[in-house]
Amino acid sequence: MDLSFGKKEKLKSKKLFTQLFEEGKGVSVYPLKLIYISTEKKETPIQTGVTVSKRNFKSAVKRNRIKRLLRESYRLNKGLVFNNTDANFAFLFLYLGKDMPSFELLDQKMKLVLNKFKLQINEKNTQ
């Protein structure tokens, strides 16, 4: 599996962003929350975006650092989802914490969130 996070995998559609917040389902492992929605067939099975609250982090430098850490931990762990699903999804990762995280913490929480998502999808498919 390719461990890159290319341009086609990034969530850029304003329409999809709005749809995620209105209709998306969530999986949460503090300080991360994954909002996802099923999408129609695209060239990549999962498109992903990350966001950090301006209310909790006034400094753009800190927000950008957290977003870089989130994207990197997703990039390293996306195999957990890519290899186990055949549907198409749009993901949005929200950082809910109020403190600057370490990469180790985010990596650990990212694994937990993706596994929780996988369980939720498998549970939905078996019903």
Side-chain angles (χ1 to χ4, degrees):
M1 207 207 100
D2 183 24
L3 282 182
S4 66
F5 186 56
K7 192 173 186 176
K8 291 179 179 170
E9 288 182 53
K10 293 184 177 148
L11 182 63
K12 299 178 189 169
S13 165
K14 190 169 184 142
K15 188 173 152 185
L16 257 179
F17 259 98
T18 309
Q19 198 176 3
L20 271 164
F21 281 111
E22 290 174 354
E23 305 167 18
K25 295 171 185 61
V27 175
S28 191
V29 174
Y30 189 81
L32 290 181
K33 181 173 187 176
L34 166 63
I35 300 174
Y36 66 93
I37 193 167
S38 185
T39 59
E40 69 274 353
K41 196 74 172 157
K42 301 235 171 143
E43 61 257 7
T44 57
I46 298 175
Q47 288 189 314
T48 306
V50 296
T51 182
V52 179
S53 170
K54 193 173 184 178
R55 181 186 299 167
N56 295 338
F57 294 94
K58 305 287 187 220
S59 167
V61 174
K62 289 181 180 178
R63 283 195 309 275
N64 292 338
R65 167 97 176 134
I66 295 170
K67 288 191 280 188
R68 276 198 310 272
L69 292 173
L70 281 171
R71 282 192 292 267
E72 180 66 7
S73 70
Y74 170 73
R75 183 187 74 81
L76 293 174
N77 296 306
K78 71 180 181 180
L80 294 171
V81 179
F82 262 83
N83 298 334
N84 298 313
T85 185
D86 51 350
N88 292 317
F89 291 99
F91 282 177
L92 182 62
F93 289 100
L94 300 168
Y95 182 75
L96 304 173
K98 294 184 185 340
D99 302 322
M100 197 68 176
S102 67
F103 177 73
E104 291 76 24
L105 173 78
L106 281 182
D107 196 46
Q108 176 189 7
K109 299 298 181 175
M110 183 67 72
K111 288 176 186 169
L112 291 172
V113 157
L114 291 175
N115 283 325
K116 210 169 174 182
F117 164 77
K118 215 169 41 172
L119 289 172
Q120 206 170 53
I121 292 303
N122 291 338
E123 187 178 292
K124 197 178 288 182
N125 289 341
T126 57
Q127 289 178 351

